[in-house]
Structure formats: structure tokens, C-alpha cells
């Protein structure tokens, strides 16, 4: 698979449904970066970038947050937070 795009993500401090709602109102999407043997990392990604990736059918992305950059596989996108 080819990496299709690099996304500038940011680490997020707040967790929970209210914090996620605030992120969405600001035009960001909450996400979790998971890895084997690594603690989950909560991230916030620009919603526009995620929409473009979803429409392109991208699965592999490079996430840049702070000084780090990792290659990630998009495993799941929830379009409705109720289902």
C-alpha cells in the first residue's frame, strides 16, 4: 500500500463525549492512535482532511503530531456517533 497523504494531527488532552463534541464544533475529528505494546494516543485531526481521505478511499496515512511522525492504518471511521 502507498501512503496517500500526510496529516498534521495534534495530541488532545480532554477525553469524553463533551470534549469530542467541542472538537467537532471546531472542525476537528477525535481519534485514537493504537499500536501493539504502546499506550493509546488520543489525537485530533482536521475534519476536512479526514473527509478527503475517506472519499479517496485512503487507508494508509502519515500522521505528524509534534516532533513525531508515524504511519497509521485507518481501521474504522464512524459516520454517526450514535451507531
Amino acid at each position: 500500500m502507498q501512503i496517500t497523504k500526510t496529516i498534521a494531527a495534534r495530541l488532545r488532552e480532554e477525553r469524553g463525549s463533551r470534549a469530542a463534541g467541542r472538537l467537532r464544533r471546531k472542525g476537528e475529528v477525535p481519534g485514537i492512535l493504537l499500536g501493539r505494546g504502546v499506550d493509546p494516543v488520543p489525537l485530533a485531526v482536521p475534519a476536512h482532511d479526514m473527509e478527503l481521505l475517506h472519499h479517496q478511499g485512503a487507508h494508509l496515512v502519515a500522521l505528524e503530531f509534534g516532533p513525531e511522525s508515524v504511519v497509521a492504518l485507518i481501521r474504522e471511521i464512524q459516520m454517526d456517533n450514535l451507531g
Side-chain angles (χ1 to χ4, degrees), residues 28-82:
E28 295 181 309
V29 177
I32 301 286
L33 179 63
L34 301 172
R36 184 174 298 172
V38 180
D39 290 335
V41 178
L43 299 172
V45 180
H48 179 72
D49 290 347
M50 284 303 296
E51 287 177 21
L52 288 176
L53 289 174
H54 179 65
H55 289 297
Q56 293 171 355
H59 297 288
L60 223 67
V61 296
L63 291 174
E64 291 182 349
F65 51 96
E68 291 188 52
S69 179
V70 296
V71 176
L73 175 68
I74 298 175
R75 192 176 87 181
E76 179 180 353
I77 297 177
Q78 293 180 356
M79 301 306 285
D80 181 8
N81 62 348
L82 298 177

